């Protein structure tokens, strides 16, 4: 029994006309020798379908239906007869709707996705936050929706990875309905994408998002009229509050069930000449049986005229591929002669013309422009003289708050951990288990969990800057400097994101169109100090620089930034060669970030951090503890025991390598352990120094810092070696997951390996310089 018919456009129409409708029975009558085509019996006709076509029809088999029947009859009181239950299965299966959000970057797709799918994906007020398809689902009016958030694109050509990705998704996954999210405050550019989606001939609805801004602007838009002109139902939405999401999904059901009246397929008129050419190419394509890899014939024809490489590849595989390409070339020549423009430009112009025409009919603009506020703020923030000081001040404020505000909750957690440790200490019998709990788990996990508040504060700031639109300005004012380094203004956003976590930052480099800048950015992102390195700094700074906490931290981050500048310069001259492309970057209007979004984003990070604590950090703490505990000799002092343990032996082995940097074996071990995740550097120190507890007396002026800081202050490290250590932690190789991200994004292991090697060498050189030069001065 047919559960669902996929595919769209002419193909779908044809197959439905043949009688392949939800709830109808089909039988396989005959298999051709190679299983292609297959003959079916449907509504007493016999129809033969090619395999590719048959794949577009989802059926429920007798067996599946019986399974379902069994489940149902397990529930008492339900008796279903044979045909009925199969119908019910078909019905249930057919009530799964796959919808995909497609739209320009920054138009609010992810906001809508989060509301609809009750998800917590990252929204940000700049392009390119979403780089992958994110999937969620929800139930509504008896239907189950699988919802997909796709990366933002301006167009559906084959120029950028996002464009190809979105196109491929639409074609291969054939979503039942596409939700074209449109930024109502920027209709012209957004509708250009809509025009291309219309060419694709896919079932579609428009979410007219940012409708609140349109309302406030005083412009009036005749939504019904626009919907009628485009043949696409339009529902106004506000992604930030969720207004309009229910009507949107209600309409989707209507479209899915074929009840929607506005929805129809229109042909965008490209003008007499172009239409004639499109028709000529399309006619040849149509000589082949549908579906042409699921693309509508018209879409293929238009894309061919636009010199789309991917579509050329598809068409060349058709039996009359040669002929089609030849015809395309002829058409292009004619266009060139008549319009004195290449066909690609002519098609783009025609599409914009269509959009402008539609808007002229439906949109009445109010002359006073509401974006005055944005302009006024920008006058300061992107000012030639004020831009940088404002930026630096904001960064400093961030670090300052990370410390001062974070101090209070940090103290609470710290005393909580201390209390727990005391309790176990006084109530448990001595033995390895007690040692494991106190010196292993509590010292390791407890040592880093206290930094949860600091990390959340840091994230709250980053999130606020992203969401308000400031980050895009920061990228803008940095563009000139970035260019000098062979980078791109857009590289700046991944770099700042790197302060949070390097992995999403590396993924965010995808928005940089230019290959060279992209690779360069990826290589230097690891120099941005991620939040996982923060605990080490806080411990060390608390121990050795209690008077200048924020300033020292600022200095460390600054060293990372300076090093990234130096490295980018070197790499663009010697490693990654080639020209970089000019700068195009949008400045989205400022938007007051919704508190909900900032809180949610921050909490997500907090949750991730806690999860890491419970898994990898816990495991690492136990392993490090065990390596430090065995072989165990009760009679030795703590320090001696540690030195002769496995970890002591390992540490001693690496000590010669790091002694020029002023580091000792315990730091060496922490650094090695930190390759798995940078938090482990701190947790390992917690375990390794925990055994000093009994000996360490409380230092007077360190009341404000964590317990661990107080121990480390007595450990024989000096402020100089401590600083060298922080520099090493800052610069040495990124954690393994980040290396894997570099491999995935660059496509080559070579670059991941290169990054690991150069960062570690750089760390060694810089730490050594700090220590050796410092030693001369001090
Ligand atoms: P995406 O790039 O399309 O996924 O867009 P996001 O969902 O990340 O949103 C971009 C920015 O627009 C964020 O700052 C959102 O808070 C904001 N935003 C989203 N929807 C609306 C809306 O309907 N009205 C207003 N005023 N802002 C919105
Ligand atoms: Mg997004």
């Amino acid at each position: 029994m047919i559960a669902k018919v996929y595919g769209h456009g002419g193909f779908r129409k044809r197959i439905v006309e043949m009688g392949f409708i939800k709830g109808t029975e089909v039988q396989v009558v005959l298999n051709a020798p190679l299983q292609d085509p297959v003959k079916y019996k449907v509504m007493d006709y016999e129809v033969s379908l090619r395999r590719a076509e048959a794949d577009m029809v989802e059926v429920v088999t007798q067996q599946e239906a019986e399974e379902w029947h069994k489940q149902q009859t397990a529930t008492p009181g339900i008796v279903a007869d044979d045909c009925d239950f199969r119908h019910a299965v078909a019905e249930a299966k057919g009530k799964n709707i796959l919808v995909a959000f497609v739209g320009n970057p920054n138009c609010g797709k992810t906001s809508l996705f989060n509301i609809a799918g009750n998800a917590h994906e990252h929204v940000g007020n700049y392009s390119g936050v979403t780089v992958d398809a994110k999937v969620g689902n929800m139930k509504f009016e008896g239907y189950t929706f699988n919802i997909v958030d796709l990366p933002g694109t301006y167009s559906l050509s084959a120029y950028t990875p996002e464009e190809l990705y979105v196109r491929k998704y639409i074609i291969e996954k054939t979503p039942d309905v596409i939700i074209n999210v449109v930024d109502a405050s920027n209709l012209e550019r957004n509708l250009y994408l809509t025009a291309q989606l219309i060419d694709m001939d896919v079932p579609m609805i428009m979410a007219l998002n940012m409708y609140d801004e349109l309302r406030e602007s005083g412009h009036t838009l005749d939504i019904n009229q626009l919907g009628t002109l485009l043949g696409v139902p339009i529902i106004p939405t506000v992604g930030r509050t969720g207004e309009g999401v229910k009507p949107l999904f209600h309409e989707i059901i209507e479209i899915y069930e074929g009840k929607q009246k506005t929805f129809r397929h229109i042909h965008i008129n490209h003008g007499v000449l172009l239409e004639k050419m499109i028709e000529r190419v399309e006619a040849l394509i149509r000589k082949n049986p549908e579906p042409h890899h699921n693309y509508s014939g018209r879409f293929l024809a238009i894309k061919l005229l636009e010199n789309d490489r991917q579509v050329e590849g598809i068409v060349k595989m058709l039996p009359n591929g040669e002929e089609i390409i030849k015809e395309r070339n002829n058409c292009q020549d004619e266009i060139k002669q008549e319009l004195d423009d290449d066909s690609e430009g002519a098609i783009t112009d025609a599409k914009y013309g269509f959009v402008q025409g539609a808007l002229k009919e439906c949109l009445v603009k109010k002359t006073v422009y509401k974006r005055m506020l944005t302009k006024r703020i920008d006058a300061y923030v992107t000012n030639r003289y004020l831009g940088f000081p404002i930026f630096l001040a904001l960064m400093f404020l961030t670090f300052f708050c990370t410390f001062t505000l974070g101090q209070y909750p940090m103290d609470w957690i710290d005393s909580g951990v201390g209390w727990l440790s005391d309790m176990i200490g006084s109530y448990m019998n001595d033995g390895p288990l007690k040692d494991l709990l106190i010196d292993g788990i509590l010292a390791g996990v407890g040592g880093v969990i206290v930094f949860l508040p600091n990390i959340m504060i840091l994230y709250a700031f980053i999130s606020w800057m992203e969401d308000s639109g400031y980050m895009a300005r920061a990228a803008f004012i940095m563009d000139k400097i970035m260019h000098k380094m062979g980078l791109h203004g857009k590289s700046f956003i991944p770099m700042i994101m790197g302060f949070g976590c390097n992995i999403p930052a590396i993924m965010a480099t995808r928005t940089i169109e230019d290959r060279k800048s992209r690779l360069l950015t990826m290589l230097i992102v690891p120099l941005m100090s991620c939040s996982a390195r923060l605990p080490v700094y806080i411990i060390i700074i608390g121990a050795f620089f209690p008077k200048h906490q924020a300033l020292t931290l600022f200095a460390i981050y600054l060293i990372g930034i300076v090093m990234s500048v130096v490295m980018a310069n070197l790499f663009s001259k010697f490693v990654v060669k080639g020209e970089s492309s000019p700068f195009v970057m949008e400045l989205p209007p400022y938007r007051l970030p919704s508190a909900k979004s900032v809180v949610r984003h921050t909490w997500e990070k907090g949750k991730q951090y806690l999860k890491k604590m419970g898994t990898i950090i816990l495991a690492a703490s136990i392993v490090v503890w065990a390596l430090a505990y065995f072989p165990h000799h009760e009679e030795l002092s703590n320090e001696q025991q540690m030195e002769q343990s496995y970890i002591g032996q390992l540490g001693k082995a690496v000590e010669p390598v790091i002694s020029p940097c002023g580091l000792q074996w315990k730091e060496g071990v922490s650094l090695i352990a930190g390759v798995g995740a940078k938090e482990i550097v701190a947790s390992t120190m917690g375990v390794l120094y925990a055994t000093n507890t009994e000996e360490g007396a409380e230092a007077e002026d360190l009341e404000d810092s964590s317990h661990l800081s107080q121990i480390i202050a007595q450990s024989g490290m000096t402020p100089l070696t401590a600083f060298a250590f922080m520099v090493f932690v800052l610069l040495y190789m990124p954690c393994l997951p980040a290396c894997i991200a570099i491999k995935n994004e660059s496509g080559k292991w070579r670059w991941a390996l290169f990054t690991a090697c150069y960062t570690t060498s750089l760390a060694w050189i810089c730490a050594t310089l700090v220590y050796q030069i410092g030693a001369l001065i001090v």
Side-chain angles (χ1 to χ4, degrees), residues 104-111 113 121-124 126 128-132 149-152:
N104 282 188
N106 215 30
C107 65
K109 294 177 297 302
T110 304
S111 304
F113 171 82
E121 286 304 333
H122 184 174
V123 295
Y126 53 83
V129 180
T130 311
V131 286
D132 266 325
D149 183 23
L150 292 172

